[in-house]
Amino acid sequence: MFGYAGRLLHVDLAQRRSKVEVLGEGFCRKYIGGNGFAIRLLYDHSPPGVDPLSPANPLIFAVGPFAGTMVPTSGKYIVQAKSPLTNLMGEAISSGFWAHALKWAGYDAVLVKGRAEKPVYFFIDDDTVHFIDAGHLWGVDTIETMNRVKEEVGGWDVEVLAIGPAGENLVRYANISTDRHRQAGRTGMGAVMGSKNLKAVAVRGTKGVKVSDLEGLMEACRELYEECQGPYAETYRVTGTPASLLFHQTVAALPTRNWQDAVFEEAEKIGDKYVGERWVVKAIACAGCPIACDHLTLVKDEGGEVLASVEFESLYALGSECGVGDYPTINRAVDLCDRLGLDTISTGVTIGWAMECYEKGILTKEDTEGIELTFGNSEALLEVIRKIAYQEGIGRLLSQGVKRASEIVGKGSERFAMHNKGLEYPGYDLRGLKASVLGFNTSTRGGCHLRSSMYDYDLKGRVDRFTAKEEYGRLVKEREDLWSIFDSLMLCKFIRGILNTPDQLARLYTLVTGFETTAEELQRAGERIYNLEKAYNVREGWKREDDYPAPRIMTDPIRSGVAKGAVVTKEEFDLMYKAYCRERGWTPEGLPTKRKLLELGLEDAAREVGVPEGV
Amino acid sequence: MRKFIAADPDRCTGCRICEMVCSAVKEGEFNARLSRIRTTWVTPYLVTSLACRLCEDPSCVRSCPQGALSVDEEKGVILVDEERCVGCGLCVKACEFNAITLHPGRKVVIVCDLCGGEPKCVEFCPKGALDLRTAEEIAQRNETFRKLLP
């Protein structure tokens, strides 16, 4: 095959054995790659009701058909497993030369099962898989681990992904790192790795990848590269994601102090202009990306030099969400999270919740062991981050994520636990973004901006963001399906201003794989993949109530700014949700029907979770 | 003075597209191992790409025990006599710039030949970071790069 390697690597950590399974054309075309491959494998290989931190939970890494080629932004991988944070489908995507290396080594996916007796990492060296003791790396931070593994197995062409202490210590939102600054951040995939005693995965690939129409692809890529230097990617190129901070501030959509407000009075001090002039030292690119949005900041102070990749979501979560308006602190907090292996969004939102609890007297100084856990306390923020990663003191509670922590603490704190299905919300105040509020909560992985990115509609004025409308149901469904194609081909969503129609995607897919494919076929595959994720969730115990926004979104109106007074009522949400289910061909209660699943060629899911019509 | 492919580290973002373009053009596949140009991180925020520097008195040529390497009189590029090359790797060790590498399949060394004067990597570099320059030009034009010169 072209584009695809056509092979899946099975790794059994308990037995320290591996084997290769061939993936045929039928499978590849039906599930595209990346997200599609991973959810299919997860559905097939995870025993129903599996404990996410048990050896039986399969951990899946997958890349897309474009990985390893010159297709812009194709250096991405996905990791999926049942999530220890949501107890449903877990999924995180990141960029990395690791993705290219895996393809060049001759694999589209790796399925890891079991638990190693003691800490281990494995090294995929083309056709050989080496299992190497990792006792000496246990407790080592992610950046140091990646460097050391690279040295140990030798060579500039080895790519490594790794967990930090947080993953080892089973923090439920621990993440996985590659390329120093890139993280597969969400849903606790690092904890699943940690539960398997798996510290890192190294890859060297020397086989390369061939495409069906090389000349055609080079021409298409030349145009795309040029467009990436044009207006549609300008903000990413010039400023990067931090540009969103002051924009959200202007439109009162910047969650502040645990969503008590949507305007942060210190936003200017952490905004892109102020930060850019003082601390940005370099814009770097992910694997094979012509845009290069990552603006590294270097802060020098008494504590030394700290180089960090601070994205908008981290600025929100460790900044406005915690009331911190000091950029050096945020820079340090991001570096700390990256090295310890913590998802910055979940970390910040969980700490923000704890700060509100502390200010309301729900958590006391006794609970925090003397830490003055008030909003804006920079030192407290940094100290608590460490405690979370090492499961010390208050960190033990907060390492559970905001859903569990609030259930443990109680006293009404569940009301302001900002999550959906256990996944902490990113930095979009949903009360004044009514297309987004639907998409962020129907999301199969919980509170997430990347399953449909409906803020494109709300914030660019394509819909009336203050009015809930039935039509958002259709828009969300279409976006979810399109993003499923993106995540399966494995392209970065930051190229969406340039590469965004199913027609364009189908053309690229055909150039790479040689499989004549129409936009409709790709769209059908996207819908199939999303339905399979949903079916997995239903199988694992998802309920209709799980799709409601966090209580605060439906009860506490935004206090200031242009969105003042905005709130999402239950009636509004239900109206959109019903329309969404109708568009999906699901029951009004959000359950996939037998008919829909069969129509999409998901016979097993139809049999196992499909609901007969009229129930 | 000879012109070779050099990256402006102020523009280079470390995307490695040059490597993929190079292997595609030279070998018909995408494979960093087959690229004649290689991206190198000098520090976590300083990255550049290096290809053959077309040295006046190339250490690779001097190191070859088989006499397989020579300098093209006209263009200045290194010529590899694949009949003579046994893939021993001594030239790979000798090159200060890591600019000559071993082809993992064919067991001969591969090195930048400037694509006959119109290098594809330069053409495709999305940031315009690559160009044909002399060592002197680089030293004069670029403060950052000067620090990288031996």
Side-chain angles (χ1 to χ4, degrees):
Chain A
M1 278 190 290
F2 292 108
Y4 295 103
R7 302 199 311 167
L8 159 69
L9 181 69
H10 288 267
V11 173
D12 183 333
L13 290 174
Q15 306 288 328
R16 288 196 170 205
R17 272 209 297 258
S18 65
K19 66 171 189 214
V20 172
E21 181 186 335
V22 171
L23 301 173
E25 181 185 331
F27 179 86
C28 292
R29 297 183 76 160
K30 190 167 179 183
Y31 297 102
I32 306 176
N35 190 187
F37 283 10
I39 186 59
R40 183 68 258 180
L41 294 170
L42 182 65
Y43 193 95
D44 290 348
H45 290 268
S46 77
V50 68
D51 172 356
L53 297 176
S54 73
N57 188 16
L59 176 69
I60 298 142
F61 300 94
V63 300
F66 299 165
T69 75
M70 70 187 291
V71 172
T73 78
S74 63
K76 297 196 89 78
Y77 73 96
I78 188 168
V79 47
Q80 288 198 245
K82 188 170 175 187
S83 165
L85 198 56
T86 66
N87 246 339
L88 299 169
M89 180 213 71
E91 158 188 290
I93 291 174
S94 184
S95 311
F97 289 98
W98 192 91
H100 285 335
L102 188 73
K103 175 67 70 60
W104 294 335
Y107 307 97
D108 298 305
V110 182
L111 193 152
V112 184
K113 277 186 182 168
R115 172 186 286 153
E117 210 176 304
K118 5 175 236 207
V120 73
Y121 69 89
F122 63 88
F123 171 37
I124 304 166
D125 192 2
D126 283 339
D127 288 330
T128 314
V129 180
H130 305 272
F131 294 87
I132 301 162
D133 287 331
H136 61 299
L137 295 170
W138 213 244
V140 176
D141 78 39
T142 55
I143 295 175
E144 182 70 17
T145 301
M146 291 185 278
N147 290 340
R148 279 166 65 174
V149 168
K150 221 167 167 158
E151 262 171 46
E152 280 176 25
V153 299
W156 61 274
D157 53 355
V158 174
E159 304 297 339
V160 185
L161 59 77
I163 58 165
E168 298 167 11
N169 296 329
L170 309 182
V171 175
R172 287 183 188 272
Y173 44 89
N175 65 15
I176 299 172
S177 277
T178 48
D179 294 2
R180 188 182 176 105
H181 296 296
R182 300 268 71 80
Q183 280 78 31
R186 310 233 65 197
T187 71
M189 295 297 96
V192 175
M193 247 177 103
S195 75
K196 298 188 171 310
N197 271 328
L198 178 60
K199 179 70 177 171
V201 182
V203 189
R204 169 160 51 206
T206 69
K207 297 183 192 173
V209 59
K210 288 193 169 73
V211 298
S212 169
D213 181 352
L214 183 58
E215 248 175 68
L217 185 69
M218 289 186 80
E219 253 342 282
C221 288
R222 183 204 303 275
E223 283 169 28
L224 289 168
Y225 291 176
E226 274 167 25
E227 281 190 74
C228 284
Q229 312 314 314
Y232 294 107
E234 191 178 355
T235 309
Y236 289 122
R237 239 173 27 240
V238 176
T239 318
T241 59
S244 297
L245 188 100
L246 289 179
F247 179 55
H248 285 208
Q249 168 84 349
T250 315
V251 298
L254 180 65
T256 299
R257 284 183 291 275
N258 197 37
W259 298 57
Q260 293 186 78
D261 210 337
V263 178
F264 182 42
E265 65 285 354
E266 295 185 271
E268 288 289 336
K269 280 166 49 196
I270 59 173
D272 57 273
K273 191 160 185 298
Y274 190 86
V275 170
E277 282 170 4
R278 281 160 190 79
W279 295 296
V280 169
V281 288
K282 177 80 185 166
I284 61 168
C286 292
C289 172
I291 302 171
C293 71
D294 186 9
H295 288 64
L296 298 178
T297 49
L298 180 72
V299 178
K300 299 175 193 176
D301 55 24
E302 321 82 64
E305 278 189 7
V306 179
L307 180 73
S309 163
V310 183
E311 302 291 349
F312 161 67
E313 294 300 342
S314 306
L315 270 181
Y316 139 74
L318 301 164
S320 64
E321 162 73 7
C322 292
V324 172
D326 177 51
Y327 190 79
T329 298
I330 297 170
N331 192 67
R332 190 173 285 274
V334 169
D335 178 61
L336 205 52
C337 284
D338 287 357
R339 288 176 183 274
L340 294 169
L342 288 168
D343 174 31
T344 53
I345 302 180
S346 291
T347 302
V349 174
T350 305
I351 294 176
W353 165 84
M355 285 173 163
E356 186 170 347
C357 286
Y358 187 84
E359 293 198 346
K360 291 196 158 128
I362 297 172
L363 287 175
T364 64
K365 214 165 191 166
E366 212 171 292
D367 296 317
T368 64
E369 293 178 323
I371 299 172
E372 196 68 53
L373 198 54
T374 49
F375 284 111
N377 186 340
S378 296
E379 273 172 40
L381 174 72
L382 296 172
E383 201 177 339
V384 170
I385 289 173
R386 277 192 204 90
K387 283 182 182 292
I388 289 170
Y390 292 106
Q391 300 265 14
E392 292 168 8
I394 187 77
R396 274 198 302 279
L397 172 75
L398 303 184
S399 75
Q400 302 294 311
V402 79
K403 177 172 185 276
R404 282 183 178 76
S406 67
E407 283 164 5
I408 293 165
V409 168
K411 298 180 184 167
S413 69
E414 304 96 321
R415 267 201 61 256
F416 52 84
M418 301 312 295
H419 70 89
N420 171 272
K421 301 191 254 295
L423 186 68
E424 291 76 7
Y425 283 125
Y428 300 78
D429 199 309
L430 300 172
R431 288 169 284 200
L433 305 171
K434 293 197 172 166
S436 301
V437 78
L438 179 64
F440 279 48
N441 293 291
T442 54
S443 156
T444 41
R445 75 168 177 181
C448 166
H449 57 303
L450 293 168
R451 304 276 57 200
S452 57
S453 307
M454 290 308 294
Y455 53 86
D456 279 348
Y457 289 85
D458 284 315
L459 292 174
K460 288 177 186 158
R462 290 157 72 181
V463 297
D464 171 6
R465 70 184 180 105
F466 293 114
T467 311
K469 288 182 184 158
E470 280 190 303
E471 66 171 284
Y472 302 166
R474 175 179 59 80
L475 296 175
V476 168
K477 185 257 178 198
E478 285 173 2
R479 242 329 171 56
E480 285 174 343
D481 291 349
L482 180 63
W483 269 196
S484 293
I485 304 172
F486 256 74
D487 292 342
S488 299
L489 293 170
M490 299 232 74
L491 291 168
C492 178
K493 289 170 187 124
F494 293 178
I495 203 167
R496 69 183 182 276
I498 291 143
L499 190 55
N500 48 24
T501 67
D503 276 319
Q504 283 176 298
L505 297 169
R507 188 170 155 255
L508 269 183
Y509 183 77
T510 303
L511 286 172
V512 169
T513 64
F515 300 146
E516 289 294 335
T517 304
T518 61
E520 290 70 33
E521 281 172 82
L522 272 193
Q523 282 168 306
R524 185 40 59 110
E527 187 178 9
R528 178 181 305 124
I529 291 158
Y530 204 83
N531 272 264
L532 190 55
E533 291 199 336
K534 179 72 181 194
Y536 179 85
N537 278 353
V538 171
R539 193 182 84 184
E540 300 305 310
W542 170 90
K543 286 185 285 310
R544 164 69 185 90
E545 305 87 83
D546 296 336
D547 279 2
Y548 274 114
R552 172 159 281 168
I553 290 169
M554 299 196 289
T555 53
D556 304 0
I558 289 176
R559 287 182 192 165
S560 37
V562 293
K564 189 175 174 180
V567 73
V568 179
T569 66
K570 186 169 175 298
E571 291 68 33
E572 284 179 312
F573 189 79
D574 284 342
L575 173 85
M576 297 188 290
Y577 192 82
K578 283 204 182 92
Y580 169 77
C581 291
R582 212 161 44 234
E583 290 293 333
R584 279 243 165 261
W586 296 348
T587 73
E589 292 303 300
L591 291 165
T593 56
K594 264 194 189 349
R595 181 200 288 180
K596 176 51 85 177
L597 294 172
L598 283 174
E599 178 197 311
L600 294 168
L602 298 167
E603 287 80 11
D604 54 343
R607 197 170 53 245
E608 286 158 24
V609 304
V611 175
E613 304 287 325
V615 171
Chain B
M1 256 187 122
R2 286 166 181 168
K3 287 191 172 184
F4 53 87
I5 295 166
D8 176 350
D10 287 339
R11 289 186 178 200
C12 180
T13 62
C15 68
R16 291 174 66 178
I17 282 172
C18 53
E19 297 179 21
M20 282 182 272
V21 170
C22 180
S23 66
V25 170
K26 293 294 170 199
E27 308 278 346
E29 65 180 68
F30 297 103
N31 186 347
R33 276 291 288 257
L34 304 182
S35 171
R36 278 73 166 156
I37 186 166
R38 187 182 298 175
T39 307
T40 306
W41 288 88
V42 185
T43 74
Y45 53 97
L46 181 57
V47 63
T48 186
S49 277
L50 288 170
C52 179
R53 309 262 307 193
L54 276 60
C55 305
E56 301 283 344
D57 178 20
S59 51
C60 57
V61 174
R62 276 187 276 120
S63 73
C64 180
Q66 305 294 329
L69 301 180
S70 58
V71 179
D72 182 296
E73 289 299 327
E74 191 193 336
K75 295 176 192 140
V77 297
I78 306 294
L79 301 171
V80 182
D81 183 340
E82 296 198 358
E83 294 291 309
R84 288 190 179 186
C85 178
V86 294
C88 69
L90 283 175
C91 58
V92 176
K93 283 208 180 95
C95 176
E96 297 94 330
F97 302 99
N98 289 321
I100 187 164
T101 49
L102 202 59
H103 190 299
R106 290 193 281 127
K107 306 292 182 214
V108 293
V109 289
I110 49 178
V111 64
C112 174
D113 64 359
L114 298 179
C115 293
E118 287 177 0
K120 287 286 171 189
C121 56
V122 173
E123 192 183 319
F124 274 87
C125 175
K127 297 298 181 189
L130 295 174
D131 206 349
L132 284 169
R133 289 167 200 163
T134 65
E136 259 179 24
E137 279 171 358
I138 292 164
Q140 283 164 6
R141 278 166 53 178
N142 196 301
E143 274 294 313
T144 325
F145 206 92
R146 185 148 44 192
K147 290 179 208 146
L148 301 178
L149 289 172

